[in-house]
Amino acid sequence: MLEEKEEVEEKIWLISDCCRNKNNLTKSCIKYIIQVLILTIVLLFSLIQISITNNNKEIYFSLISTIIGIFLPSPQMHE
C-alpha cells in the first residue's frame, strides 16, 4: 500500500503543472509544448548542419546559443 502511494506521488511529480489534467490542457500548456518542440527541431537541425557543412557554421552556433539561452532560466538571488 505504501509503495503504491509513493509510486503514484513520483508519477505526479514527473508531470508538469500545466499538463497535470490530461483531459483539459490549458492554452499555456499547449503553447509551451509547441515552443519546446519547435526549439528542439531547430536545435537538431543546427547540430546536423554543423556536422555536415564545411562553410558558414557561425549561424548555426548562433542558433544553438540562442536556444540554450531560451531554455535556461535566468539566474535569481533568493534571500
Side-chain angles (χ1 to χ4, degrees):
M1 178 77 174
L2 183 59
E3 291 176 10
E4 290 177 17
K5 185 178 179 182
E6 289 176 358
E7 186 177 321
V8 169
E9 287 177 1
E10 183 177 332
K11 286 181 182 178
I12 290 174
W13 182 80
L14 293 174
I15 299 172
S16 175
D17 287 337
C18 70
C19 302
R20 192 163 281 181
N21 187 356
K22 294 178 183 175
N23 296 329
N24 187 17
L25 292 177
T26 62
K27 184 177 179 181
S28 62
C29 180
I30 294 170
K31 181 180 175 184
Y32 174 77
I33 291 170
I34 291 172
Q35 286 175 341
V36 169
L37 286 174
I38 291 172
L39 290 175
T40 304
I41 290 169
V42 173
L43 179 65
L44 290 174
F45 173 77
S46 297
L47 290 172
I48 291 170
Q49 289 299 318
I50 287 172
S51 65
I52 292 175
T53 62
N54 291 329
N55 56 355
N56 202 10
K57 294 182 180 182
E58 295 83 16
I59 190 163
Y60 302 113
F61 284 117
S62 299
L63 282 172
I64 291 172
S65 298
T66 302
I67 291 171
I68 290 172
I70 291 171
F71 273 127
L72 293 178
S74 58
Q76 299 175 356
M77 291 184 66
H78 298 286
E79 294 182 20

